[in-house]
Amino acid sequence: MRTPPAEVDVTAGLVADLLREQHPDLAGLPLTPCSHGWDNVVLRLGDDLAVRLPRRASAAVPAANEQRWLGTVAARVGCPVPAPVRLGRPGRGYPWPWSVVPWFEGRVAASLPSAERGRLAGPLAAFTARMHVPAPGNAPPNPVRGVPLASRDARVRERLTGGAVPRADELLRLWERLSATPAREGPPVWIHGDLHPANVLAPADGAPGLAAVLDFGDLTSGDPATDLAVAWMMFDAPGRAEFRAERERLSPVDPATWDRARAWAVSFGSLLAAATNEDPLLAAVGAHTVDQVLGPDHP
């Protein structure tokens, strides 16, 4: 699993040109390159802002979806999210929409020891409860998130028989059992779509709450079990018990949804566990997830 090559070279010079052209009042702030992921490049802008730009064409639609919907999400979920504060359009040879978003201080939860992540269990459960409300019919579609498990079966089996995933035989047996869980009934709800420890920011000083939930590029509607896989991706057994109890208190979840969530954790965990050393943080998330879904705290 390697980061796809960039289709546009997003440089600080290009971003400075875009700001001068479209948001000249921000153009004097210093720009500092921060990160590039599969889909986006992020540069810090001054002390309190960042610029987030797609680095390949397939990320342009998710970027537009964030521009369209994240303001609505931010008003509801009770924790900071990177809702755009300024919108960017194509220009200076750059072909896609881009955004100026808030800069959040904190520590990526994936960098914390799993036992320390337990302090995030209650706040993250509250985020999911507020997130998972009925979605409108024009919510962004997503063919690989929030969908019935049967639609992911071939891909998961291919991965688990490919020789790159540890404990693949155990995971395949678990997947076969859990993927037979009845599909969700009821209206689709909003889901984050990519809720895992590398997209959760913890306060750097250990304060309660979440510093932010990041990267809504997979925002869509469907089965909330996709997001609830974070119970295994994020936490150890005590943290997971706290997460589940708080979620049940705020917005009950039926047993079949938790079973589908564990199946989604098998899917996500096997994908990340096969990551190369190119992204050791995500590979570690994958290894943690595999250990948790196969752990002894399950029937």
Side-chain angles (χ1 to χ4, degrees):
M1 187 178 73
R2 295 186 178 276
T3 303
E7 296 169 16
V8 170
D9 186 18
V10 180
T11 65
L14 171 62
V15 176
D17 287 343
L18 288 168
L19 288 168
R20 278 192 293 269
E21 179 181 78
Q22 300 181 33
H23 299 286
D25 60 314
L26 302 179
L29 297 174
L31 276 169
T32 307
C34 291
S35 65
H36 71 275
W38 276 51
D39 293 328
N40 298 283
V41 174
V42 177
L43 299 91
R44 189 169 183 176
L45 178 63
D47 293 331
D48 302 318
L49 299 171
V51 188
R52 192 163 181 261
L53 307 93
R55 59 193 292 274
R56 55 195 188 117
S58 62
V61 170
N65 289 337
E66 290 181 337
Q67 291 182 346
R68 168 67 178 85
W69 293 105
L70 268 193
T72 301
V73 171
R76 186 177 67 247
V77 294
C79 75
V81 303
V85 298
R86 301 283 184 93
L87 305 183
R89 61 183 185 276
R92 299 286 180 169
Y94 182 79
W96 305 307
W98 53 278
S99 299
V100 179
V101 300
W103 175 265
F104 300 119
E105 295 285 354
R107 291 186 64 186
V108 173
S111 69
L112 298 173
S114 60
E116 292 185 24
R117 300 177 198 167
R119 63 186 168 93
L120 305 176
L124 193 60
F127 167 84
T128 65
R130 294 177 180 129
M131 184 81 204
H132 296 161
V133 300
N138 62 339
N142 190 317
V144 295
R145 299 288 193 270
V147 295
L149 293 171
S151 70
R152 305 305 301 152
D153 185 67
R155 187 66 188 92
V156 172
R157 288 176 182 274
E158 178 185 356
R159 189 182 307 132
L160 292 177
T161 56
V165 179
R167 304 179 71 180
D169 290 344
E170 296 172 80
L171 289 170
L172 183 57
R173 289 193 294 271
L174 182 60
W175 171 261
E176 288 174 340
R177 177 168 68 83
L178 295 174
S179 62
T181 304
R184 181 176 185 270
E185 297 180 357
V189 300
W190 279 114
I191 61 173
H192 178 283
D194 199 24
L195 192 60
H196 58 68
N199 284 336
V200 175
L201 203 62
D205 60 1
L210 301 173
V213 175
L214 307 174
D215 195 353
F216 285 73
D218 281 309
L219 180 70
T220 189
S221 64
D223 186 352
T226 303
D227 283 353
L228 295 176
V230 76
W232 290 267
M233 300 184 76
M234 182 87 157
F235 301 114
D236 58 13
R240 183 162 53 257
E242 183 177 349
F243 174 85
R244 291 183 60 161
E246 181 65 6
R247 176 57 199 260
E248 294 286 355
R249 185 184 73 81
L250 294 169
S251 180
V253 176
D254 62 275
T257 298
W258 286 118
D259 282 346
R260 291 194 306 275
R262 191 177 172 201
W264 276 102
V266 171
S267 176
F268 292 140
S270 61
L271 174 66
L272 295 178
T276 67
N277 289 334
E278 182 183 7
D279 199 333
L281 191 69
L282 287 180
V285 172
H288 169 87
T289 304
V290 169
D291 286 345
Q292 294 301 309
V293 296
L294 294 175
D297 61 315
H298 299 291

